[in-house]
Amino acid sequence: MKKTVISLLVLLLSVIMLCSCSYELEADGFELLGEINWDNANDFSEGLAGVKKDGKWGFINTDGELVIPCIYDSVGAFSEGLCAVQTGYAWNYIDTEGNVAVKGDFEAANKFSEGRASVMLNYKYCIIDTEGNKLCNPTFDIIRPFSEGLAVVELDNWFGYIKADGTLLGELTYGRASDFSDGLAEVFTDYLSGFIGTDGNYVIEEKFDDSSSFSEGLCAVENADGLWGFIDKSSEYVIEPAWAKAEDFKDGFSVVYDGSQYSYINTAGEEISGKYLNAYDFNDGMARVSVFGDTGLAFGFIDESGEVAVTPKYLEAGNFSDGYAPVKSYDGSWGYIDKEGNLVISFGLHEADTFKEGIARVKFAEKYGFIKITTEG
């Protein structure tokens, strides 16, 4: 009798555990792509997302259908129609149909940008085109993604740039180098920062203690007094140095730090918001901010007027995209809100990512799945 009771209790607990692992989405305008049953998953890119089952990776489409079988040991993300996949120790590239498009048995392979990708052979990197042709010898320690026709390369802690045809733009003479943005790239030598154009010539001589990247025609730079302001491409200050730190402009706004709190300025240098403990870039017309509330650190959102649009009351939050943002309650579970702060997907998820291509990766009970927007937010 005692054994029977114990067996029944074990069976009951098993049933409860199985039930607790089932997630049901009850939200207008959203649907689950199948069940939340993947061992791991990546975000969607170019209409496909990597998913893992029983130790192997494959890809699903935006209808949740497994269109490339789970046969790979590791996968990257699709870019320009190609994706790096690993079988054993070898990396190659497949197309969106799952066909091998570039076979090189590389030791490492990165995603394509501007028709080029960096791959590793004999522990050094070179670049290839979409046909798999090697455009330079594998001699570099690092090759970053291409931007505006050039990519940063590193060898023995010296930096320079490589062109799309595989030749170098000058020599590797910089102590630091950034990607090109708005036609300029920050380079760093002799403890000072300056900018070169895509021809390799200096446009702005090295005279700043530090700098960021050009964005929306402006760049944050640090002067000798440790204060940050913004210059234009003629190297003239458009916004005078006044902050302990300043970030790139995005969507017309920059996050600035006065030494104790963060706020936002517009391209005229005017402060458009209150002060916050943390502040992040604008996305989809909204920006995450945090304050100290009654329960400790609390996240909310401001709109482009600088006004609080969603009252800070969440333990964590992600960026807005497609009209929605993931937020974490103080019980540790995640849900989604709209721009008015309405909870559109109830709390209960164990992880929730920002929507990408109208689909968000979520986690429930150690398994991953996807939620898809079916109506406009």
Side-chain angles (χ1 to χ4, degrees):
M1 180 67 178
K2 189 174 181 180
K3 289 183 178 179
T4 303
V5 172
I6 292 173
S7 297
L8 287 172
L9 286 172
V10 170
L11 179 61
L12 180 61
L13 286 171
S14 298
V15 171
I16 291 172
M17 288 177 67
L18 286 171
C19 290
S20 67
C21 290
S22 175
Y23 177 80
E24 293 186 10
L25 176 65
E26 296 180 359
D28 293 336
F30 302 89
E31 67 178 13
L32 279 176
L33 291 187
E35 297 181 358
I36 300 179
N37 63 355
W38 301 107
D39 299 332
N40 204 344
N42 297 330
D43 289 328
F44 271 85
S45 177
E46 299 189 354
L48 295 169
V51 291
K52 187 178 184 181
K53 194 72 172 178
D54 299 327
K56 297 291 184 179
W57 287 83
F59 290 87
I60 61 170
N61 64 15
T62 54
D63 292 322
E65 301 166 334
L66 187 67
V67 291
I68 298 175
C70 295
I71 58 175
Y72 302 107
D73 294 317
S74 188
V75 297
F78 273 92
S79 176
E80 301 185 1
L82 298 172
C83 179
V85 294
Q86 182 185 26
T87 304
Y89 293 103
W91 286 86
N92 297 288
Y93 290 88
I94 60 171
D95 61 22
T96 55
E97 302 297 320
N99 303 309
V100 176
V102 176
K103 182 170 177 58
D105 290 340
F106 307 113
E107 294 151 24
N110 296 307
K111 70 177 185 179
F112 275 88
S113 61
E114 300 184 0
R116 302 290 184 265
S118 62
V119 296
M120 179 185 281
L121 288 166
N122 297 320
Y123 304 102
K124 293 289 184 178
Y125 282 95
C126 65
I127 58 171
I128 60 170
D129 61 19
T130 54
E131 301 298 319
N133 299 308
K134 289 188 280 293
L135 305 177
C136 65
N137 292 323
T139 56
F140 301 102
D141 297 328
I142 292 174
I143 303 179
R144 295 183 199 155
F146 274 83
S147 175
E148 301 186 7
L150 294 160
V152 175
V153 294
E154 178 188 352
L155 179 62
D156 298 331
N157 296 318
W158 289 102
F159 294 84
Y161 295 88
I162 194 169
K163 302 176 187 178
D165 63 4
T167 61
L168 285 175
L169 178 71
E171 302 295 328
L172 277 63
T173 57
Y174 306 115
R176 189 175 77 198
S178 70
D179 296 337
F180 274 88
S181 175
D182 276 7
L184 298 175
E186 181 218 23
V187 292
F188 197 85
T189 59
D190 297 328
Y191 308 103
L192 291 174
S193 172
F195 292 85
I196 61 171
T198 54
D199 59 0
N201 295 319
Y202 274 94
V203 176
I204 299 174
E205 293 298 325
E206 295 167 313
K207 60 181 179 179
F208 300 106
D209 279 27
D210 201 356
S211 60
S212 186
S213 299
F214 270 90
S215 175
E216 302 182 10
L218 298 174
C219 179
V221 295
E222 181 185 17
N223 67 14
D225 296 324
L227 294 177
W228 287 74
F230 290 86
I231 60 169
D232 60 18
K233 291 183 179 180
S234 69
S235 186
E236 296 296 322
Y237 275 104
V238 176
I239 301 173
E240 291 295 324
W243 296 278
K245 182 60 182 168
E247 303 293 339
D248 292 340
F249 272 92
K250 183 180 180 184
D251 296 337
F253 302 99
S254 168
V255 176
V256 293
Y257 180 62
D258 65 8
S260 62
Q261 291 181 301
Y262 292 88
S263 59
Y264 294 84
I265 61 170
N266 59 24
T267 53
E270 301 165 334
E271 206 166 87
I272 61 103
S273 75
K275 303 285 188 178
Y276 301 100
L277 290 176
N278 293 288
Y280 301 85
D281 285 340
F282 274 87
N283 289 275
D284 201 14
M286 305 281 276
R288 282 184 295 156
V289 295
S290 70
V291 299
F292 263 125
D294 295 337
T295 54
L297 190 66
F299 280 86
F301 294 87
I302 65 170
D303 60 25
E304 291 179 332
S305 71
E307 297 296 321
V308 174
V310 178
T311 302
K313 59 180 179 180
Y314 301 107
L315 180 60
E316 290 183 42
N319 290 327
F320 266 92
S321 177
D322 297 319
Y324 305 101
V327 290
K328 187 177 184 180
S329 69
Y330 282 89
D331 68 5
S333 67
W334 288 83
Y336 287 85
I337 60 171
D338 62 19
K339 290 185 177 181
E340 285 71 48
N342 302 309
L343 190 66
V344 294
I345 297 178
S346 299
F347 293 111
L349 294 162
H350 298 147
E351 288 182 15
D353 291 347
T354 298
F355 279 94
K356 294 181 178 66
E357 301 185 7
I359 301 173
R361 186 188 75 147
V362 297
K363 183 180 181 182
F364 181 79
E366 303 305 319
K367 294 292 184 179
Y368 292 85
F370 298 90
I371 293 176
K372 182 178 181 178
I373 300 171
T374 56
T375 59
E376 292 185 6

